[in-house]
Amino acid sequence: SSSKASEEPSPSASNGKLVVGFAQIGQESGWRDAETASVKETFEGDPGFELKFSDAQQKQENQIKAIRTFIAQKVDAIALAPVVESGWETVLKEAKDAGIPVFLLDRGITKGNEDLYVSFIGSDFILEGQNAAKWMIDELGADAQVNIVQLEGTVGASAANDRKKGFEDAIKDHAGYKIVYSQTGDFTRAKGKEVMEAYLKKDKNIQAVYAHNDDMALGAIQAIEEAGLKPGTDIKIIGVDGIKPAFEAIAAGKMNVTVECNPLLGPQLKQAILDTKAGTKLEKWIKSDEDVYSGQKAIDALPNRKY
Ligand code: GZL
């Protein structure tokens, strides 16, 4: 194993502060904006840190470039929200060789590369997909006939892959639950609306929409209303994230459930960096605790929601 010395990155350039480079994906969703705000508040609010922030506009090659820049700047730690699971081995090996610890934020990378990062700080997306299916089965009945449109997240993203897997596993024993259409909406409201519009032109006999994030669910709601149907009633709407607009849609009766996914990861990231610098061994997966909000529970929680 590497000696203690090589695990300690070179002291940071700027006057004793710990310099952190954050390679963020972009601004595709309200959830991600909340995550960015949490990281910025946490690090910019602490005189012991300097934050270098990069917005990759959804492109993996921009995230890779940002990581290389952080390495050249000899930062003390790198945080990465990997837009897709694959293609990180080379650049994360470069960070490792430079003795810079990497922390994955909110999405994972291909299995088998656990030696290339200290910890993944994020949610259990399979559980989130299972919780979405559980609500649907409890609400509509185990033997109901339910045609479902699934709005998938960004192609190749761990959050999309696992929310799909968790959901589809959980409905597979209920023959009446059929995913009649499954298409990526890129985690955005605009694309979610576009995909839903296109589908409704072909077929209106659907009973539920399962969207991998609330932004796409909110886009689908607009499309459903424009098609003359009542979202929340004619078609049940399930989203993931727990952003405030989803709580507002539930309160308005236009959406049924949001499966919470915590974006406020700044404090956990800071603690993980400090622990690592102190030589403390961390869990490979620092999991967020989350809840499921529907009906009166969502209405009651709305005033306290932070994002
Ligand atoms: C989840 C995160 C996902 C959110 C989406 O950790 O990766 O990306 O659920 C966001 O809203 O676009």
mmCIF file of all heavy atoms in Angstrom, residues 227-264:
data_model
loop_
_atom_site.group_PDB
_atom_site.id
_atom_site.type_symbol
_atom_site.label_atom_id
_atom_site.label_comp_id
_atom_site.label_asym_id
_atom_site.label_seq_id
_atom_site.Cartn_x
_atom_site.Cartn_y
_atom_site.Cartn_z
ATOM 1 N N ALA A 227 -53.459 18.216 -22.980
ATOM 2 C CA ALA A 227 -54.158 17.162 -23.744
ATOM 3 C C ALA A 227 -55.592 16.995 -23.230
ATOM 4 O O ALA A 227 -56.323 16.097 -23.659
ATOM 5 C CB ALA A 227 -53.396 15.841 -23.621
ATOM 6 N N GLY A 228 -55.986 17.856 -22.268
ATOM 7 C CA GLY A 228 -57.361 17.813 -21.774
ATOM 8 C C GLY A 228 -57.620 16.775 -20.694
ATOM 9 O O GLY A 228 -58.770 16.476 -20.367
ATOM 10 N N LEU A 229 -56.572 16.213 -20.118
ATOM 11 C CA LEU A 229 -56.734 15.210 -19.043
ATOM 12 C C LEU A 229 -56.338 15.836 -17.702
ATOM 13 O O LEU A 229 -55.691 16.884 -17.663
ATOM 14 C CB LEU A 229 -55.854 13.991 -19.337
ATOM 15 C CG LEU A 229 -56.221 13.214 -20.605
ATOM 16 C CD1 LEU A 229 -55.133 12.192 -20.940
ATOM 17 C CD2 LEU A 229 -57.572 12.525 -20.448
ATOM 18 N N LYS A 230 -56.777 15.187 -16.614
ATOM 19 C CA LYS A 230 -56.504 15.738 -15.273
ATOM 20 C C LYS A 230 -55.336 14.980 -14.608
ATOM 21 O O LYS A 230 -55.522 13.853 -14.110
ATOM 22 C CB LYS A 230 -57.753 15.648 -14.393
ATOM 23 C CG LYS A 230 -58.819 16.698 -14.722
ATOM 24 C CD LYS A 230 -59.808 16.929 -13.570
ATOM 25 C CE LYS A 230 -60.718 15.715 -13.327
ATOM 26 N NZ LYS A 230 -61.490 15.321 -14.512
ATOM 27 N N PRO A 231 -54.116 15.589 -14.566
ATOM 28 C CA PRO A 231 -53.002 14.940 -13.860
ATOM 29 C C PRO A 231 -53.330 14.847 -12.373
ATOM 30 O O PRO A 231 -53.918 15.761 -11.809
ATOM 31 C CB PRO A 231 -51.824 15.867 -14.126
ATOM 32 C CG PRO A 231 -52.422 17.208 -14.400
ATOM 33 C CD PRO A 231 -53.788 16.944 -15.021
ATOM 34 N N GLY A 232 -52.931 13.710 -11.765
ATOM 35 C CA GLY A 232 -53.224 13.501 -10.349
ATOM 36 C C GLY A 232 -54.521 12.747 -10.150
ATOM 37 O O GLY A 232 -54.736 12.117 -9.123
ATOM 38 N N THR A 233 -55.412 12.837 -11.159
ATOM 39 C CA THR A 233 -56.692 12.121 -11.072
ATOM 40 C C THR A 233 -56.796 11.073 -12.178
ATOM 41 O O THR A 233 -56.742 9.884 -11.930
ATOM 42 C CB THR A 233 -57.876 13.122 -11.215
ATOM 43 O OG1 THR A 233 -57.624 14.234 -10.352
ATOM 44 C CG2 THR A 233 -59.193 12.466 -10.820
ATOM 45 N N ASP A 234 -56.909 11.552 -13.439
ATOM 46 C CA ASP A 234 -56.989 10.597 -14.568
ATOM 47 C C ASP A 234 -55.687 9.782 -14.653
ATOM 48 O O ASP A 234 -55.704 8.592 -14.960
ATOM 49 C CB ASP A 234 -57.163 11.357 -15.887
ATOM 50 C CG ASP A 234 -58.465 12.171 -15.907
ATOM 51 O OD1 ASP A 234 -59.396 11.793 -15.167
ATOM 52 O OD2 ASP A 234 -58.495 13.181 -16.613
ATOM 53 N N ILE A 235 -54.569 10.505 -14.443
ATOM 54 C CA ILE A 235 -53.248 9.851 -14.559
ATOM 55 C C ILE A 235 -52.464 10.166 -13.281
ATOM 56 O O ILE A 235 -52.249 11.338 -12.959
ATOM 57 C CB ILE A 235 -52.476 10.373 -15.793
ATOM 58 C CG1 ILE A 235 -53.281 10.109 -17.074
ATOM 59 C CG2 ILE A 235 -51.092 9.727 -15.894
ATOM 60 C CD1 ILE A 235 -52.664 10.710 -18.341
ATOM 61 N N LYS A 236 -52.089 9.114 -12.537
ATOM 62 C CA LYS A 236 -51.312 9.345 -11.309
ATOM 63 C C LYS A 236 -49.883 9.750 -11.677
ATOM 64 O O LYS A 236 -49.320 9.210 -12.637
ATOM 65 C CB LYS A 236 -51.271 8.062 -10.465
ATOM 66 C CG LYS A 236 -52.624 7.531 -10.039
ATOM 67 C CD LYS A 236 -53.373 8.525 -9.171
ATOM 68 C CE LYS A 236 -54.735 7.935 -8.764
ATOM 69 N NZ LYS A 236 -55.619 8.961 -8.159
ATOM 70 N N ILE A 237 -49.320 10.707 -10.940
ATOM 71 C CA ILE A 237 -47.987 11.239 -11.268
ATOM 72 C C ILE A 237 -47.056 11.007 -10.073
ATOM 73 O O ILE A 237 -47.293 11.517 -8.975
ATOM 74 C CB ILE A 237 -48.054 12.762 -11.547
ATOM 75 C CG1 ILE A 237 -49.183 13.091 -12.536
ATOM 76 C CG2 ILE A 237 -46.691 13.261 -12.045
ATOM 77 C CD1 ILE A 237 -48.956 12.679 -13.967
ATOM 78 N N ILE A 238 -46.009 10.210 -10.342
ATOM 79 C CA ILE A 238 -44.994 9.932 -9.317
ATOM 80 C C ILE A 238 -43.644 10.490 -9.780
ATOM 81 O O ILE A 238 -43.200 10.189 -10.888
ATOM 82 C CB ILE A 238 -44.850 8.409 -9.077
ATOM 83 C CG1 ILE A 238 -46.152 7.853 -8.499
ATOM 84 C CG2 ILE A 238 -43.709 8.108 -8.124
ATOM 85 C CD1 ILE A 238 -46.904 7.018 -9.482
ATOM 86 N N GLY A 239 -43.039 11.314 -8.913
ATOM 87 C CA GLY A 239 -41.707 11.849 -9.239
ATOM 88 C C GLY A 239 -40.721 11.495 -8.133
ATOM 89 O O GLY A 239 -41.087 10.904 -7.112
ATOM 90 N N VAL A 240 -39.464 11.883 -8.346
ATOM 91 C CA VAL A 240 -38.379 11.637 -7.375
ATOM 92 C C VAL A 240 -37.621 12.949 -7.208
ATOM 93 O O VAL A 240 -37.453 13.685 -8.191
ATOM 94 C CB VAL A 240 -37.411 10.536 -7.876
ATOM 95 C CG1 VAL A 240 -36.361 10.210 -6.814
ATOM 96 C CG2 VAL A 240 -38.170 9.288 -8.291
ATOM 97 N N ASP A 241 -37.188 13.258 -6.062
ATOM 98 C CA ASP A 241 -36.361 14.400 -5.653
ATOM 99 C C ASP A 241 -36.918 15.122 -4.443
ATOM 100 O O ASP A 241 -36.193 15.441 -3.512
ATOM 101 C CB ASP A 241 -36.136 15.454 -6.778
ATOM 102 C CG ASP A 241 -35.044 15.046 -7.739
ATOM 103 O OD1 ASP A 241 -34.318 14.086 -7.417
ATOM 104 O OD2 ASP A 241 -34.895 15.703 -8.784
ATOM 105 N N GLY A 242 -38.214 15.503 -4.514
ATOM 106 C CA GLY A 242 -38.773 16.251 -3.385
ATOM 107 C C GLY A 242 -38.486 17.738 -3.478
ATOM 108 O O GLY A 242 -38.315 18.413 -2.469
ATOM 109 N N ILE A 243 -38.444 18.272 -4.692
ATOM 110 C CA ILE A 243 -38.266 19.735 -4.820
ATOM 111 C C ILE A 243 -39.592 20.430 -4.504
ATOM 112 O O ILE A 243 -40.675 19.855 -4.698
ATOM 113 C CB ILE A 243 -37.759 20.143 -6.228
ATOM 114 C CG1 ILE A 243 -38.706 19.676 -7.335
ATOM 115 C CG2 ILE A 243 -36.340 19.636 -6.446
ATOM 116 C CD1 ILE A 243 -38.361 20.261 -8.708
ATOM 117 N N LYS A 244 -39.511 21.675 -4.056
ATOM 118 C CA LYS A 244 -40.696 22.385 -3.586
ATOM 119 C C LYS A 244 -41.820 22.429 -4.635
ATOM 120 O O LYS A 244 -42.974 22.184 -4.308
ATOM 121 C CB LYS A 244 -40.308 23.807 -3.133
ATOM 122 C CG LYS A 244 -41.398 24.515 -2.361
ATOM 123 C CD LYS A 244 -40.891 25.800 -1.714
ATOM 124 C CE LYS A 244 -40.465 25.532 -0.263
ATOM 125 N NZ LYS A 244 -40.158 26.807 0.473
ATOM 126 N N PRO A 245 -41.505 22.693 -5.916
ATOM 127 C CA PRO A 245 -42.595 22.697 -6.916
ATOM 128 C C PRO A 245 -43.379 21.385 -6.955
ATOM 129 O O PRO A 245 -44.569 21.370 -7.278
ATOM 130 C CB PRO A 245 -41.864 22.964 -8.229
ATOM 131 C CG PRO A 245 -40.622 23.674 -7.840
ATOM 132 C CD PRO A 245 -40.225 23.066 -6.527
ATOM 133 N N ALA A 246 -42.729 20.281 -6.608
ATOM 134 C CA ALA A 246 -43.460 19.000 -6.573
ATOM 135 C C ALA A 246 -44.441 19.003 -5.402
ATOM 136 O O ALA A 246 -45.600 18.600 -5.535
ATOM 137 C CB ALA A 246 -42.478 17.844 -6.455
ATOM 138 N N PHE A 247 -44.015 19.504 -4.245
ATOM 139 C CA PHE A 247 -44.917 19.597 -3.093
ATOM 140 C C PHE A 247 -46.107 20.502 -3.424
ATOM 141 O O PHE A 247 -47.256 20.218 -3.054
ATOM 142 C CB PHE A 247 -44.161 20.135 -1.867
ATOM 143 C CG PHE A 247 -43.309 19.099 -1.184
ATOM 144 C CD1 PHE A 247 -42.063 18.751 -1.684
ATOM 145 C CD2 PHE A 247 -43.763 18.441 -0.039
ATOM 146 C CE1 PHE A 247 -41.290 17.777 -1.063
ATOM 147 C CE2 PHE A 247 -42.986 17.472 0.594
ATOM 148 C CZ PHE A 247 -41.743 17.142 0.072
ATOM 149 N N GLU A 248 -45.817 21.584 -4.153
ATOM 150 C CA GLU A 248 -46.896 22.510 -4.537
ATOM 151 C C GLU A 248 -47.877 21.839 -5.504
ATOM 152 O O GLU A 248 -49.087 21.984 -5.400
ATOM 153 C CB GLU A 248 -46.296 23.790 -5.140
ATOM 154 C CG GLU A 248 -45.658 24.682 -4.079
ATOM 155 C CD GLU A 248 -44.593 25.651 -4.623
ATOM 156 O OE1 GLU A 248 -44.243 25.535 -5.820
ATOM 157 O OE2 GLU A 248 -44.117 26.489 -3.837
ATOM 158 N N ALA A 249 -47.338 21.015 -6.414
ATOM 159 C CA ALA A 249 -48.218 20.303 -7.371
ATOM 160 C C ALA A 249 -49.078 19.285 -6.631
ATOM 161 O O ALA A 249 -50.257 19.100 -6.938
ATOM 162 C CB ALA A 249 -47.366 19.628 -8.448
ATOM 163 N N ILE A 250 -48.494 18.628 -5.616
ATOM 164 C CA ILE A 250 -49.277 17.666 -4.825
ATOM 165 C C ILE A 250 -50.382 18.416 -4.076
ATOM 166 O O ILE A 250 -51.553 18.030 -4.083
ATOM 167 C CB ILE A 250 -48.368 16.880 -3.847
ATOM 168 C CG1 ILE A 250 -47.404 15.976 -4.634
ATOM 169 C CG2 ILE A 250 -49.211 16.042 -2.874
ATOM 170 C CD1 ILE A 250 -46.309 15.335 -3.787
ATOM 171 N N ALA A 251 -50.026 19.555 -3.491
ATOM 172 C CA ALA A 251 -51.025 20.352 -2.747
ATOM 173 C C ALA A 251 -52.143 20.818 -3.677
ATOM 174 O O ALA A 251 -53.300 20.944 -3.265
ATOM 175 C CB ALA A 251 -50.342 21.548 -2.093
ATOM 176 N N ALA A 252 -51.804 21.015 -4.959
ATOM 177 C CA ALA A 252 -52.809 21.462 -5.936
ATOM 178 C C ALA A 252 -53.570 20.281 -6.541
ATOM 179 O O ALA A 252 -54.432 20.451 -7.401
ATOM 180 C CB ALA A 252 -52.112 22.251 -7.053
ATOM 181 N N GLY A 253 -53.240 19.068 -6.130
ATOM 182 C CA GLY A 253 -53.941 17.876 -6.624
ATOM 183 C C GLY A 253 -53.518 17.442 -8.015
ATOM 184 O O GLY A 253 -54.159 16.603 -8.641
ATOM 185 N N LYS A 254 -52.403 18.005 -8.532
ATOM 186 C CA LYS A 254 -51.955 17.668 -9.891
ATOM 187 C C LYS A 254 -50.874 16.601 -9.907
ATOM 188 O O LYS A 254 -50.473 16.130 -10.960
ATOM 189 C CB LYS A 254 -51.418 18.931 -10.581
ATOM 190 C CG LYS A 254 -52.483 19.993 -10.778
ATOM 191 C CD LYS A 254 -51.924 21.186 -11.528
ATOM 192 C CE LYS A 254 -53.023 22.204 -11.814
ATOM 193 N NZ LYS A 254 -52.487 23.352 -12.584
ATOM 194 N N MET A 255 -50.338 16.262 -8.765
ATOM 195 C CA MET A 255 -49.280 15.255 -8.632
ATOM 196 C C MET A 255 -49.611 14.443 -7.391
ATOM 197 O O MET A 255 -50.320 14.922 -6.493
ATOM 198 C CB MET A 255 -47.924 15.972 -8.519
ATOM 199 C CG MET A 255 -46.716 15.075 -8.507
ATOM 200 S SD MET A 255 -45.205 16.064 -8.750
ATOM 201 C CE MET A 255 -43.957 14.771 -8.532
ATOM 202 N N ASN A 256 -49.108 13.176 -7.360
ATOM 203 C CA ASN A 256 -49.508 12.310 -6.257
ATOM 204 C C ASN A 256 -48.416 12.026 -5.237
ATOM 205 O O ASN A 256 -48.668 11.946 -4.041
ATOM 206 C CB ASN A 256 -50.070 10.993 -6.815
ATOM 207 C CG ASN A 256 -51.238 11.282 -7.744
ATOM 208 O OD1 ASN A 256 -51.036 11.492 -8.961
ATOM 209 N ND2 ASN A 256 -52.427 11.332 -7.198
ATOM 210 N N VAL A 257 -47.178 11.842 -5.726
ATOM 211 C CA VAL A 257 -46.083 11.436 -4.811
ATOM 212 C C VAL A 257 -44.766 12.032 -5.272
ATOM 213 O O VAL A 257 -44.536 12.134 -6.474
ATOM 214 C CB VAL A 257 -45.831 9.901 -4.875
ATOM 215 C CG1 VAL A 257 -44.966 9.444 -3.732
ATOM 216 C CG2 VAL A 257 -47.090 9.136 -4.981
ATOM 217 N N THR A 258 -43.925 12.399 -4.303
ATOM 218 C CA THR A 258 -42.531 12.616 -4.651
ATOM 219 C C THR A 258 -41.680 11.803 -3.669
ATOM 220 O O THR A 258 -41.891 11.839 -2.460
ATOM 221 C CB THR A 258 -42.129 14.098 -4.666
ATOM 222 O OG1 THR A 258 -40.757 14.192 -5.072
ATOM 223 C CG2 THR A 258 -42.304 14.775 -3.306
ATOM 224 N N VAL A 259 -40.759 11.024 -4.234
ATOM 225 C CA VAL A 259 -39.835 10.212 -3.446
ATOM 226 C C VAL A 259 -38.607 11.082 -3.203
ATOM 227 O O VAL A 259 -37.911 11.461 -4.138
ATOM 228 C CB VAL A 259 -39.449 8.925 -4.215
ATOM 229 C CG1 VAL A 259 -38.420 8.108 -3.439
ATOM 230 C CG2 VAL A 259 -40.697 8.090 -4.503
ATOM 231 N N GLU A 260 -38.372 11.427 -1.948
ATOM 232 C CA GLU A 260 -37.328 12.407 -1.632
ATOM 233 C C GLU A 260 -35.923 11.902 -1.963
ATOM 234 O O GLU A 260 -35.621 10.732 -1.781
ATOM 235 C CB GLU A 260 -37.397 12.722 -0.133
ATOM 236 C CG GLU A 260 -36.471 13.804 0.336
ATOM 237 C CD GLU A 260 -36.543 13.990 1.852
ATOM 238 O OE1 GLU A 260 -36.838 13.010 2.567
ATOM 239 O OE2 GLU A 260 -36.320 15.122 2.303
ATOM 240 N N CYS A 261 -35.088 12.811 -2.482
ATOM 241 C CA CYS A 261 -33.675 12.529 -2.733
ATOM 242 C C CYS A 261 -32.921 13.764 -2.265
ATOM 243 O O CYS A 261 -33.147 14.855 -2.775
ATOM 244 C CB CYS A 261 -33.449 12.289 -4.237
ATOM 245 S SG CYS A 261 -31.722 12.073 -4.674
ATOM 246 N N ASN A 262 -32.056 13.603 -1.272
ATOM 247 C CA ASN A 262 -31.463 14.781 -0.624
ATOM 248 C C ASN A 262 -30.353 15.429 -1.450
ATOM 249 O O ASN A 262 -29.336 14.788 -1.725
ATOM 250 C CB ASN A 262 -30.890 14.355 0.751
ATOM 251 C CG ASN A 262 -30.226 15.519 1.453
ATOM 252 O OD1 ASN A 262 -30.472 16.682 1.113
ATOM 253 N ND2 ASN A 262 -29.394 15.209 2.421
ATOM 254 N N PRO A 263 -30.510 16.724 -1.849
ATOM 255 C CA PRO A 263 -29.449 17.408 -2.604
ATOM 256 C C PRO A 263 -28.518 18.226 -1.699
ATOM 257 O O PRO A 263 -27.523 18.780 -2.157
ATOM 258 C CB PRO A 263 -30.246 18.363 -3.499
ATOM 259 C CG PRO A 263 -31.418 18.745 -2.648
ATOM 260 C CD PRO A 263 -31.713 17.554 -1.742
ATOM 261 N N LEU A 264 -28.867 18.323 -0.409
ATOM 262 C CA LEU A 264 -28.116 19.236 0.469
ATOM 263 C C LEU A 264 -26.894 18.505 1.018
ATOM 264 O O LEU A 264 -26.789 18.218 2.200
ATOM 265 C CB LEU A 264 -29.031 19.745 1.584
ATOM 266 C CG LEU A 264 -30.343 20.372 1.092
ATOM 267 C CD1 LEU A 264 -31.208 20.825 2.259
ATOM 268 C CD2 LEU A 264 -30.092 21.504 0.111
#
